[in-house]
Amino acid sequence: MTQVEIGRGKTGRRAYSLDEIGIVPSRRTRDPEEVSISWQIDAYRFESPVVVSPMDSVVSPRTAIEIGRLGGLAVLDLEGLWTRYEDPQPLLDEVATLSAEAGTRRLQEIYTAPIQDDLIGRRITEIREAGVTTAVRLSPQRTVQHHKAVIDAGVDIFVIRGTTVSAEHVSGRAEPLNLKQFIYELDVPVIVGGCATYTAALHLMRTGAAGVLVGFGGGASHTTRNVLGVVVPMATAISDVAAARRDYMDESGGRYVHVIADGGMGGSGDIAKAIACGADAVMVGSPLARAAEAPGRGFHWGSEAHHPDLPRGRRVEFGTIGTLAEILHGPSSVADGSMNLMGALKRTMATSGYSDIKEFQRVEVVVAPPQ
């Protein structure tokens, strides 16, 4: 691996963002109708490799149900407004009217309301009774406190998601979550992350997780790079974690851990390139924040935006371009890759000659300077 000299006392590895790579067609092409983009994790099969980010601006119980019916998986944030308020829609409407200066402070205020375990149970039950796969998210800090309410309500997939999650968290203030023991004791598949390196991913895979999130989430609404200086470009991060998946399969005697690219995918081309780098599925937020059904009314923000001490996100206005169905499956009325995301993925795979996700992970890529 090529090391670049940053200065006399520091070297670093050259890393690549999704904008800096391109997909190379093979010698054959296919009809898009003959391409499968289905994805399965544990016992749960989905027609599209899309996991919708646990963000209040995108996922409500209603939109989680609709996304499930459209073939994807939506993750409800159990630390969001839906478990703090009986009816959070008036607050979501208010956030859409705020100026940029007032937005962060008001978000911090409305998220101080306590999380209620009875609302956790009711939201999960609402989604489950609609007949779609139910997935919810807690941060590592809140998992011990609220996981019993989640399991009792009958969740299908448990997501433990933070900006950076490790299997070796060190704290002198509180007993850290023992991921390996926690996952072992659960009867549901657990997806955990984010991480961005081979070593961190390998350690998370050894905890027994069914899937690992790659990246720091947030994407367009994330300011972690500016606030903390922490960044690993996604093309390199996904490829490194995919290598960890391969080596863990050898180490574990064949156990496959799914790699889910999380953040920085604003359009259909980014989704295709994330899978080409080795992802089994992608976690997206901003593309679906533009949906007419999105609770944020065209505005988008993540959990980092209302952190009480150090906000690392912002409220972004995207506006509305179509319905959830149109954004995921078309038809599209624009040429910028923001609609018919799954149709575009199928066409990319067909153009490259691949018939399913696992095959497409082997496609050739090149370094291509951003346009």
Side-chain angles (χ1 to χ4, degrees):
M1 200 66 69
T2 302
Q3 293 286 319
V4 178
E5 184 180 285
I6 296 167
R8 288 179 180 270
K10 182 70 70 173
T11 60
R13 185 158 61 103
R14 175 68 167 94
Y16 297 94
S17 67
L18 294 173
D19 281 344
E20 295 177 286
I21 68 163
I23 294 168
V24 180
S26 68
R27 62 182 175 85
R28 68 164 60 92
T29 58
R30 295 181 183 274
D31 190 315
E33 296 304 314
E34 297 180 2
V35 171
S36 170
I37 57 171
S38 63
W39 171 63
Q40 181 165 334
I41 182 168
D42 203 82
Y44 303 100
R45 178 183 171 85
F46 306 95
E47 294 307 310
S48 302
V50 170
V51 183
V52 184
S53 299
M55 295 175 164
D56 283 340
S57 53
V58 181
V59 181
S60 66
R62 186 170 70 89
T63 58
I65 292 167
E66 180 62 15
I67 289 162
R69 289 172 175 165
L70 290 169
L73 174 68
V75 182
L76 184 69
D77 185 7
L78 296 185
E79 298 176 31
L81 299 179
W82 297 96
T83 57
R84 298 174 190 263
Y85 297 92
E86 187 77 30
D87 180 14
Q89 194 58 57
L91 292 169
L92 291 163
D93 294 341
E94 177 193 349
V95 169
T97 68
L98 297 175
S99 67
E101 294 73 23
T104 298
R105 186 172 297 279
R106 182 59 179 141
L107 285 173
Q108 289 175 317
E109 291 172 353
I110 64 178
Y111 280 91
T112 58
I115 298 169
Q116 303 176 47
D117 279 354
D118 66 316
L119 282 178
I120 289 177
R122 284 162 55 188
R123 302 308 188 201
I124 293 172
T125 299
E126 181 181 349
I127 299 170
R128 191 185 72 242
E129 289 183 347
V132 301
T133 303
T134 307
V136 297
R137 172 263 179 186
L138 285 170
S139 66
Q141 295 83 359
R142 304 265 193 175
T143 294
V144 173
Q145 182 180 356
H146 296 292
H147 79 276
K148 189 175 186 304
V150 174
I151 301 304
D152 289 347
V155 76
D156 296 315
I157 298 175
F158 198 152
V159 179
I160 301 175
R161 180 181 186 254
T163 301
T164 303
V165 176
S166 75
E168 298 181 8
H169 181 65
V170 178
S171 174
R173 296 180 299 171
E175 184 68 26
L177 174 66
N178 185 324
L179 272 175
K180 188 169 187 177
Q181 179 180 344
F182 179 80
I183 291 172
Y184 177 79
E185 293 174 352
L186 291 182
D187 288 330
V188 301
V190 176
I191 297 171
V192 62
C195 68
T197 67
Y198 171 94
T199 302
L202 194 58
H203 281 236
L204 289 178
M205 291 172 184
R206 289 168 177 161
T207 67
V212 170
L213 298 172
V214 185
F216 302 122
S221 65
H222 212 295
T223 61
T224 295
R225 177 172 186 165
N226 294 336
V227 177
L228 301 184
V230 174
V231 60
V232 180
M234 282 296 285
T236 295
I238 297 166
S239 300
D240 283 351
V241 175
R245 174 186 61 202
R246 177 199 62 211
D247 292 349
Y248 178 70
M249 280 188 68
D250 292 339
E251 173 187 304
S252 63
R255 184 172 182 271
Y256 189 91
V257 179
H258 294 267
V259 172
I260 304 168
D262 180 10
M265 281 158 289
S268 55
D270 297 325
I271 292 172
K273 287 189 278 189
I275 294 173
C277 287
D280 297 290
V282 296
M283 178 172 274
V284 297
S286 60
L288 298 180
R290 298 175 170 93
E293 303 95 322
R297 300 286 191 260
F299 285 84
H300 184 51
W301 66 92
S303 59
E304 302 87 359
H306 53 79
H307 191 283
D309 301 317
L310 191 65
R312 300 180 307 282
R314 56 177 172 253
R315 187 186 52 124
V316 180
E317 183 176 7
F318 286 121
T320 299
I321 60 172
T323 65
L324 284 170
E326 289 169 339
I327 291 171
L328 284 173
H329 300 297
S332 174
S333 58
V334 295
D336 61 1
S338 61
M339 298 183 73
N340 197 3
L341 303 178
M342 296 300 98
L345 175 60
K346 279 188 174 183
R347 186 163 292 277
T348 301
M349 292 169 61
T351 301
S352 304
Y354 294 90
S355 60
D356 59 41
I357 295 291
K358 295 306 300 177
E359 281 190 0
F360 185 56
Q361 290 171 345
R362 300 197 298 267
V363 69
E364 181 184 354
V365 298
V366 294
V367 176
Q371 291 180 336

